[in-house]
Amino acid sequence: MTEEQRRGIEQDCARLVALYANLNDAGRWADVAALYAPDGRMARPTAPDEWTEGRDAILAAFLARPARTTRHVCSNVVIDVLSDSEATGESAMLLFTGEGAPKVGSFHDRFVRIEAGWRFAERRGSLTF
């Protein structure tokens, strides 16, 4: 793999992190779920050991949430390219809601390249405070 290819993968995966935050804040749940591989899984920052598995189940989980206004700010995104079809990543997250203090946490991600492009194979959130 060339340096240019590696940087392209890093950029594609970092874009997923940002797109996830923006689509989540917009309440575009079908688009959020589509960022996952069909067999992808997620664990929310408030329940990092409780996995929701499969794109359909992820969509259902988002649809079941009460409506709220949020703004996710993601930074310190570091992507490690493992191969031309796999990568991992970590990012810091700051969540603002209309109620309560902001939440600070992180995401640990596994990315896979499928026919449709790069997607989350796994997205695990955790809260620091």
Side-chain angles (χ1 to χ4, degrees):
M1 167 182 323
T2 68
E3 188 67 17
E4 184 177 331
Q5 289 169 323
R6 183 189 59 76
R7 280 194 300 269
I9 293 169
E10 289 173 349
Q11 184 175 354
D12 288 348
C13 292
R15 184 177 190 281
L16 278 179
V17 170
L19 191 56
Y20 186 96
N22 291 344
L23 293 171
N24 192 325
D25 291 336
R28 293 173 50 186
W29 308 129
D31 294 329
V32 172
L35 297 178
Y36 284 87
D39 60 348
R41 66 186 200 151
M42 74 166 195
R44 289 192 172 129
T46 55
D49 296 320
E50 295 177 21
W51 292 100
T52 301
E53 300 196 27
R55 190 184 283 163
D56 292 339
I58 290 168
L59 175 57
F62 277 110
L63 291 170
R65 286 175 35 168
R68 65 182 186 161
T69 301
T70 62
R71 174 52 73 190
H72 292 78
V73 179
C74 297
S75 67
N76 304 354
V77 179
V78 176
I79 306 297
D80 293 310
V81 177
L82 304 178
S83 72
D84 64 353
S85 62
E86 292 182 279
T88 60
E90 181 177 354
S91 58
M93 179 268 306
L94 180 59
L95 172 61
F96 296 93
T97 62
E99 46 194 66
K103 292 179 174 59
V104 176
S106 61
F107 283 102
H108 290 82
D109 300 313
R110 280 191 321 104
F111 304 95
V112 292
R113 187 191 322 238
I114 62 174
E115 192 173 314
W118 285 93
R119 297 293 184 266
F120 291 104
E122 183 175 288
R123 178 146 244 240
R124 181 183 215 161
S126 62
L127 290 178
T128 308
F129 55 90

